[in-house]
Amino acid sequence: MASKSTINLDSTINSGQVFLWKKEGGFWYGIDGDRVLCIDSTNLKVKSSGVKVDYFRESDDIGKILKSLKKDEVVKTAISQNEGLRLLRQDPFQCYISFIVSSNSNIQNIKSTLNKLCKKFGERIEFDKKEFFLFPTSASLAEASNVELLECGLGYRADFVKKAAKEVDNGIMDLKLLKKMSYDDAKKELLRIFGIGNKVADCIMLFSLEKLEAFPLDTWMLKILRKYYEDVLPIEGKSITEKRYNTLHEKIISHFGPYAGYSQQFLFKMERDAFHKKWL
DNA sequence: TACTAACCTGTACG
DNA sequence: ACGTACAGGTTAG
């Protein structure tokens, strides 16, 4: 079992998995679906405005997971540089929309757009004598006008967001159900959605749908694989096609093991930090 | 099937 | 001030 004291909040929040967090006077405040989370950075006490969930995945056997991950030397180094980095268990709908918004964008833009979406379409609540806007419901985004969505800075993704929200709102896309499905089946479902490709599907599955074998391959991860895994996991060609993505993913699972998603998170964090890339 | 251009926004740089 | 480069994944051709 993970002890909360082993979690490094700063590393965890600044690792590209969440966007709606801000630090104010020793406290981290974050939006997760229909609630606000507040975490004391020093003793990691969690206060929440809504239902409690295991947001920090404390029920994971992190000792066992880390032991498995450390079989790989590069990951072992990445772990030593980021002790306490953890995967989070996010609200599925927020995660689904967030990573659709993330496509072909960067962390600063994603954060800005998601904040605007919350402000325009989310419920306003007071928590800790501060004002917050919860993540919009699928219904509110499904009904949103194009103009309003564009005002949030979505650009051509406005169409993606609206259609994706509609699919959830009318029940055709059942995110809860995807949690119970296999990796392959859940992925097939997500890929139906306009605006969701391989990378975004893997992010949604890893961060909110209990698929620890998901290994999102973005430009950074491709860079990492070429740099450290040239011999074990060679990538043919310059770009990554659908077919290559799938065959590579299978090889990744057999190399990194069933918790490959955790490996990905450590590697991603390490490499972006090495290039001094900005987080939240 | 495989490759490539187009897509929108915000920021940084000259 | 004004253009140009760049960060990013998915879709459509």
Side-chain angles (χ1 to χ4, degrees):
Chain A
M1 289 281 278
S3 150
K4 205 172 281 163
S5 63
T6 65
I7 297 172
N8 182 328
L9 254 191
D10 287 57
S11 300
T12 298
I13 289 170
N14 288 310
S15 68
Q17 52 182 323
V18 286
F19 306 100
L20 292 174
W21 283 83
K22 58 182 175 185
K23 203 176 190 177
E24 268 180 41
F27 295 90
W28 275 108
Y29 292 94
I31 303 298
D32 185 56
D34 60 358
R35 67 215 174 102
V36 181
L37 296 178
C38 168
I39 295 128
D40 184 330
S41 318
T42 53
N43 64 19
L44 292 172
K45 254 199 162 146
V46 184
K47 275 195 296 178
S48 152
S49 66
V51 188
K52 263 194 164 181
V53 300
D54 185 10
Y55 192 72
F56 293 96
R57 308 191 63 96
E58 289 169 83
S59 54
D60 279 355
D61 188 343
I62 195 69
K64 180 180 156 196
I65 292 170
L66 291 176
K67 195 179 164 191
S68 166
L69 299 187
K70 285 175 181 170
K71 288 179 199 159
D72 180 279
E73 285 301 317
V74 185
V75 176
K76 193 176 176 181
T77 305
I79 291 171
S80 71
Q81 286 175 20
N82 287 286
E83 295 277 1
L85 167 59
R86 296 288 180 265
L87 283 174
L88 298 172
R89 178 178 282 116
Q90 301 181 37
D91 172 74
F93 181 68
Q94 177 171 334
C95 191
Y96 167 85
I97 297 296
S98 296
F99 283 92
I100 288 171
V101 169
S102 83
S103 76
N104 198 23
S105 188
N106 55 62
I107 291 175
Q108 278 68 39
N109 272 354
I110 300 161
K111 183 185 174 181
S112 152
T113 296
L114 291 176
N115 270 314
K116 288 174 192 165
L117 278 176
C118 289
K119 198 155 191 180
K120 202 180 276 285
F121 301 104
E123 185 192 338
R124 179 191 170 283
I125 70 159
E126 280 205 23
F127 180 71
D128 240 18
K129 295 182 180 168
K130 293 173 197 293
E131 176 185 67
F132 293 94
F133 292 90
L134 300 175
F135 200 78
T137 61
S138 57
S140 64
L141 290 180
E143 291 161 7
S145 76
N146 250 13
V147 176
E148 285 179 302
L149 290 172
L150 288 173
E151 281 169 357
C152 297
L154 279 164
Y156 62 86
R157 299 172 203 81
D159 210 26
F160 294 172
V161 167
K162 185 154 179 177
K163 284 180 176 156
K166 272 186 182 165
E167 289 271 322
V168 170
D169 190 45
N170 64 23
I172 293 172
M173 170 58 69
D174 184 347
L175 294 170
K176 248 189 194 142
L177 195 63
L178 297 202
K179 277 198 187 194
K180 296 175 192 157
M181 295 166 68
S182 69
Y183 171 86
D184 287 327
D185 289 345
K187 186 156 192 178
K188 212 178 282 171
E189 270 296 293
L190 287 171
L191 289 177
R192 288 182 19 240
I193 304 300
F194 187 57
I196 297 184
N198 275 296
K199 188 270 182 185
V200 168
D202 275 333
C203 286
I204 297 165
M205 290 196 290
L206 179 59
F207 302 138
S208 73
L209 298 176
E210 308 298 322
K211 305 290 181 279
L212 296 184
E213 68 270 55
F215 193 101
L217 289 168
D218 72 331
T219 55
W220 283 91
M221 290 312 299
L222 290 177
K223 203 166 146 176
I224 289 164
L225 293 180
R226 290 193 172 105
K227 183 171 170 183
Y228 304 104
Y229 299 93
E230 201 183 13
D231 45 344
V232 218
L233 299 159
I235 301 162
E236 310 142 42
K238 207 172 153 83
S239 60
I240 184 121
T241 60
E242 173 95 20
K243 193 165 187 169
R244 273 191 205 138
Y245 194 107
N246 292 327
T247 53
L248 189 52
H249 181 254
E250 285 186 19
K251 287 179 189 166
I252 281 168
I253 296 298
S254 59
H255 177 80
F256 291 102
Y259 311 115
Y262 263 100
S263 321
Q264 180 271 165
Q265 203 62 22
F266 281 105
L267 292 169
F268 184 77
K269 172 70 173 164
M270 174 180 77
E271 198 66 4
R272 282 187 50 118
D273 278 343
F275 283 84
H276 304 109
K277 300 301 284 186
K278 278 188 186 154
W279 300 104
L280 300 185

